[in-house]
Amino acid sequence: MSTQLMTQDAAASTLVAYAFGGGMGASEGKGVMYSLISETPSVFAWWVALEDSDGPPIPVDRYLIEIDRRSRQVSPPKKVQIPETELAEAILAATGQRLASSARFTDGLLSISYKVTVQDDPDVAYVVQLRHFGQVASMDSLISWISINIDPRILPVPSVYPIPGERQRQEALGNGRQITRFIPGEMAFPIYPTLPHDQRLILVRKIALAFQACWQIPMPEPHVIGELIADEGEVGGFRIGPDRHHDLGGPFSSVREYLRAYLRYSFVTLEKQNGIDEYKEWFQTRIKGFIDQHLDDIPLVVEDIPIVAMHTDMGLHNIIISSETPTEIRAIIDWEFVASAPYASLHSMIENLFREQAPNQFGPEFDRADELRDAFWDSIPDWKRCNQSTATKEYLKWFRFGVFMKPEAPMDDNMSEEEKRAFWAENIRVVEGMLNKY
């Protein structure tokens, strides 16, 4: 038996092999979706699911699997769920109402969800989510602050119903339960690309105002970069902790130090990415040399970029729009990833509003995309002026180098080299541009 403790990468490989090997049932035609829940000196714990690659977007069962770091043994899968008795207790404690029914609901990457109805009011429904990443007490406090202080016509959020004692429970068990009011409507992600151009223009202007509303949330001084935490019970009691989204550390008092940490992280993700062997042959050694030698070349002017509050996952997949009026935003949801960071860090998410969805994460522009782009930034002119600053331009040059450093693996294993170059065109353009400059 090896005396070396298993690394996270090795454990992830073992986990995927276990899932594809039938440890969780038939895996043919399915993909493995997993996320690390906790790590101790002795055990890695994961949430794992087998998901149909081409199936409809329905909730799938997730399982807790532990891997012993010394013995390499994989534990039997244990289904992750909230029993109905626990749902009933949580609903009663948070809302004072009695459970009538519950059913699995749309899941997020880092949560499982239930839609519940109550006996006391048949017209009311709630969503109960079991989250392992987001700090539920902080999320509830932030959403409550937004609902009190920001016009709901600009930044609508679902009502939250904190469960008494949930912060202590999450600290003890590693996952937290969040209850929000169910918001009827449709996710914008599949609808937005089908809208006529004039309706896209209306919706994109509203989305711009929602972004601006986040960016205007008052932040503690001095402004530093990290995870935004809203302290339970303190309205507007915000503080900044280390970055947990990418595990960068911090908080960072310097934009340059943050960029250096982000670029090092990006290179590690490049090293780990599978299915991009040719790309690695072309660029990995050169990029490593750049990371080793040129991170001190980040210019001082980037320190002038505004650092703001942001929902770092405020894409179309977390925007609920009206089923009847698709230009009406009903709610911005899933406030799991909230940060204090340079506003231009959301460049790619905003840019996706002007592009078609694509496997390489950089699809072709919509017809009349420039009008969409202008509509977004003209709606928030102060930030449009920030885009023209040297600080933002320099920041984006370095930040986009990190974003595009690691390409997506092609879906088709039989792509020719020419087809792969086309698939990775923006990655190659951004990376070569930076490498050739230095």
Side-chain angles (χ1 to χ4, degrees), residues 192 195 199-207 326-327 329:
Y192 180 81
L195 294 178
Q199 291 189 359
R200 266 196 225 133
L201 286 171
I202 295 171
L203 185 55
V204 85
R205 292 186 182 106
K206 293 181 178 180
I207 293 173
T327 57
I329 298 177

Side-chain angles (χ1 to χ4, degrees), residues 311-331:
H311 181 330
T312 62
D313 199 22
M314 205 168 87
L316 294 167
H317 57 291
N318 279 327
I319 298 176
I320 298 177
I321 57 177
S322 166
S323 302
E324 295 76 29
T325 309
T327 57
E328 176 191 344
I329 298 177
R330 299 296 311 279

Side-chain angles (χ1 to χ4, degrees), residues 135 138 142 214 217-231 234 236-245 249-254 258 307-310 312 338-342:
Q135 300 181 42
S138 173
L142 176 62
C214 285
I217 291 174
M219 300 283 286
E221 297 283 354
H223 290 186
V224 295
I225 300 171
E227 180 179 13
L228 177 62
I229 300 168
D231 286 323
E234 294 187 30
F238 302 134
R239 58 188 171 89
I240 311 302
D243 173 278
R244 292 191 306 131
H245 188 182
F252 299 93
S253 58
S254 162
Y258 168 72
I307 295 172
V308 299
M310 62 175 64
T312 62
V338 186
S340 167

Side-chain angles (χ1 to χ4, degrees), residues 126-401:
Y126 300 95
V127 176
V128 183
Q129 292 179 288
L130 184 65
R131 297 182 177 276
H132 77 79
F133 185 91
Q135 300 181 42
V136 168
S138 173
M139 294 171 66
D140 287 348
S141 295
L142 176 62
I143 294 171
S144 296
W145 187 93
I146 291 171
S147 66
I148 294 169
N149 292 280
I150 299 179
D151 188 337
R153 294 169 297 180
I154 294 175
L155 186 59
V157 292
S159 299
V160 293
Y161 302 85
I163 304 171
E166 194 61 18
R167 179 178 63 81
Q168 294 84 355
R169 179 189 176 279
Q170 184 169 10
E171 289 175 352
L173 300 180
N175 55 63
R177 302 163 301 175
Q178 183 178 44
I179 299 177
T180 59
R181 179 71 66 94
F182 170 72
I183 305 295
E186 305 287 342
M187 286 298 181
F189 184 75
I191 306 298
Y192 180 81
T194 69
L195 294 178
H197 180 68
D198 61 335
Q199 291 189 359
R200 266 196 225 133
L201 286 171
I202 295 171
L203 185 55
V204 85
R205 292 186 182 106
K206 293 181 178 180
I207 293 173
L209 293 174
F211 272 90
Q212 176 176 254
C214 285
W215 297 344
Q216 292 175 335
I217 291 174
M219 300 283 286
E221 297 283 354
H223 290 186
V224 295
I225 300 171
E227 180 179 13
L228 177 62
I229 300 168
D231 286 323
E232 185 179 12
E234 294 187 30
V235 177
F238 302 134
R239 58 188 171 89
I240 311 302
D243 173 278
R244 292 191 306 131
H245 188 182
H246 300 305
D247 200 21
L248 300 183
F252 299 93
S253 58
S254 162
V255 175
R256 285 172 295 171
E257 282 303 312
Y258 168 72
L259 280 171
R260 289 171 189 136
Y262 178 70
L263 290 168
R264 292 187 185 103
Y265 156 83
S266 298
F267 182 71
V268 171
T269 65
L270 168 63
E271 290 181 305
K272 293 179 179 179
Q273 177 73 312
N274 295 317
I276 60 167
D277 291 346
E278 294 92 340
Y279 181 92
K280 287 183 177 181
E281 289 175 10
W282 303 334
F283 294 112
Q284 184 167 319
T285 300
R286 294 177 64 195
I287 292 173
K288 184 178 187 307
F290 183 97
I291 297 295
D292 290 342
Q293 299 173 29
H294 291 291
L295 295 190
D296 287 339
D297 293 329
I298 300 174
L300 179 63
V301 71
V302 300
E303 302 293 348
D304 295 333
I305 192 169
I307 295 172
V308 299
M310 62 175 64
H311 181 330
T312 62
D313 199 22
M314 205 168 87
L316 294 167
H317 57 291
N318 279 327
I319 298 176
I320 298 177
I321 57 177
S322 166
S323 302
E324 295 76 29
T325 309
T327 57
E328 176 191 344
I329 298 177
R330 299 296 311 279
I332 310 292
I333 63 169
D334 204 4
W335 292 77
E336 196 155 29
F337 296 112
V338 186
S340 167
Y343 84 98
S345 302
L346 295 177
H347 172 83
S348 294
M349 187 167 295
I350 293 170
E351 188 65 19
N352 284 338
L353 296 171
F354 321 131
R355 295 181 176 275
E356 298 176 16
Q357 299 155 14
N360 65 359
Q361 305 302 313
F362 194 78
E365 290 191 339
F366 286 120
D367 183 39
R368 299 162 72 184
D370 285 344
E371 293 180 17
L372 292 171
R373 197 173 282 109
D374 288 343
F376 183 96
W377 292 109
D378 286 346
S379 299
I380 47 176
D382 289 345
W383 299 99
K384 182 178 181 178
R385 283 190 290 274
C386 283
N387 287 347
Q388 304 306 312
S389 70
T390 302
T392 296
K393 291 178 180 178
E394 286 294 327
Y395 178 85
L396 276 176
K397 181 173 67 177
W398 290 84
F399 187 78
R400 292 186 84 247
F401 178 53

